[in-house]
Amino acid sequence: MRKPFFNFFFKSLTFVFFALCQHVYGQQIDSSSVPAADSITTFPPDTLVTPSVFKLDTLSYRFIGDGNFTRGNVNRSLMVLRAEIILAGPVISIATNPRFTYGKQNGILAERDSYVDLFIDVFKKKKTYVFGLGTLETSNLRGITLRAMAGAGVGYRVINTSKNRLLLTNAIVHESTNFRKLPTKSVQRNSFRVKGKHSFAKDRFRINHITFVQPAITDFSNLRWNTVVSLEFPVNKWVVLRTSYENSYESVVEASRRKSDSRLTFGVSIGNRQ
């Protein structure tokens, strides 16, 4: 079960790497070294080559560091590192949002969780579009050695303005989870997502939110959800101060684990993605 997912991610990430290299190299070409076109070499409009379906010419990104530290009767440290990277073109958009969480409480390791995803969207700039997705996840907090998920679905832009964006997606996914103590669980889920971004007071502060609700198709009592709400304060074009609240729930867990977890963090993001 693991090998096909690893092959899928390796090939997809390799494709993203070479596309990024091509994007960077293309921007390094000095326009002064390109000869000016004349009436002899210029092609008529009807003979010009149309943009490639697989063209990727826009790169947006930001890197986020959040944390929460307390000392006293309870000594707790929590660090969350995230990234948001999108490589987009006229037709196809590729996005990944890797995350790593590390936390200790009273000197005992509580969280050492990693997550990586890959979304390939087709016609993302239209109101309705389709996409494929894949994720890999490990979690010391949940006692998960490996969780792999892949599927496809459709997205719909409810609102898309400079101040407010609201996106709904729905996908059918296959999920396989290897627990430390429980047998491997394989299930098909319906994955519904609500994602939004809202700007206030001339973009002096923003609210970003994303919620996943993922019931098993054959058993609605087998349910997972995850919600992240962030309040952001832009310092300049590149730097944003932020605070985030996250809540997650899983109905199927090991006997020693709780089903629900919440965390509040404070941090900063750096990048050209606003």
Side-chain angles (χ1 to χ4, degrees):
M1 180 62 201
R2 297 185 185 182
K3 188 173 181 181
F5 281 104
F6 278 117
N7 289 340
F8 167 78
F9 270 93
F10 178 76
K11 292 178 181 178
S12 301
L13 292 175
T14 301
F15 171 72
V16 173
F17 173 77
F18 282 108
L20 283 169
C21 293
Q22 183 181 13
H23 171 77
V24 173
Y25 175 76
Q27 290 198 346
Q28 291 177 341
I29 297 178
D30 186 357
S31 59
S32 64
S33 64
V34 180
D38 55 34
S39 58
I40 297 177
T41 59
T42 301
F43 294 97
D46 57 350
T47 64
L48 292 176
V49 179
T50 58
S52 171
V53 171
F54 299 102
K55 181 180 180 181
L56 299 168
D57 55 7
T58 303
L59 175 64
S60 61
Y61 58 89
R62 68 173 180 167
F63 302 97
I64 303 167
D66 293 332
N68 192 345
F69 304 90
T70 61
R71 291 293 181 269
N73 292 315
V74 176
N75 295 327
R76 176 174 172 80
S77 58
L78 173 66
M79 177 183 66
V80 184
L81 302 177
R82 311 172 190 262
E84 297 175 2
I85 304 171
I86 299 177
L87 189 58
V91 179
I92 292 178
S93 173
I94 299 174
T96 182
N97 304 272
R99 180 176 70 247
F100 178 73
T101 304
Y102 185 87
K104 285 186 175 183
Q105 183 163 325
N106 292 331
I108 300 174
L109 178 67
E111 293 156 278
R112 187 172 56 200
D113 302 354
S114 59
Y115 171 90
V116 62
D117 62 13
L118 187 69
F119 283 81
I120 301 178
D121 305 316
V122 183
F123 303 118
K124 180 68 178 287
K125 296 181 180 180
K126 296 183 178 295
K127 197 173 185 69
T128 302
Y129 66 95
V130 296
F131 64 90
L133 67 94
T135 69
L136 291 175
E137 180 180 358
T138 66
S139 176
N140 181 73
L141 185 66
R142 297 285 187 182
I144 296 172
T145 58
L146 178 65
R147 169 176 285 157
M149 187 169 64
V154 61
Y156 179 73
R157 295 178 179 275
V158 180
I159 304 173
N160 188 25
T161 68
S162 59
K163 294 184 178 180
N164 293 284
R165 300 175 190 173
L166 185 63
L167 176 68
L168 305 178
T169 67
N170 197 77
I172 303 299
V173 300
H174 175 79
E175 175 187 286
S176 178
T177 304
N178 295 327
F179 293 94
R180 289 177 181 172
K181 299 178 181 179
L182 293 177
T184 297
K185 303 286 186 180
S186 295
V187 66
Q188 287 71 45
R189 295 186 182 275
N190 185 83
S191 180
F192 177 71
R193 178 180 66 167
V194 180
K195 184 177 182 180
K197 176 181 177 181
H198 311 282
S199 175
F200 303 93
K202 297 182 179 180
D203 203 35
R204 288 187 175 89
F205 71 94
R206 310 172 188 144
I207 295 177
N208 287 343
H209 60 90
I210 182 168
T211 298
F212 284 91
V213 180
Q214 299 175 318
I217 294 176
T218 57
D219 180 9
F220 276 27
S221 65
N222 185 342
L223 173 67
R224 297 204 295 120
W225 81 60
N226 181 263
T227 296
V228 181
V229 180
S230 301
L231 182 61
E232 300 187 343
F233 301 90
V235 176
N236 54 41
K237 182 179 179 181
W238 292 87
V239 179
V240 176
L241 301 179
R242 46 183 272 128
T243 179
S244 294
Y245 171 77
E246 181 174 358
N247 176 261
S248 59
Y249 173 87
E250 295 192 23
S251 60
V252 179
V253 296
E254 294 183 343
S256 60
R257 309 287 173 170
R258 294 186 177 182
K259 294 183 177 182
S260 181
D261 290 286
S262 298
R263 63 168 65 104
L264 180 67
T265 56
F266 303 87
V268 62
S269 73
I270 299 174
N272 68 354
R273 176 169 167 74
Q274 297 297 317

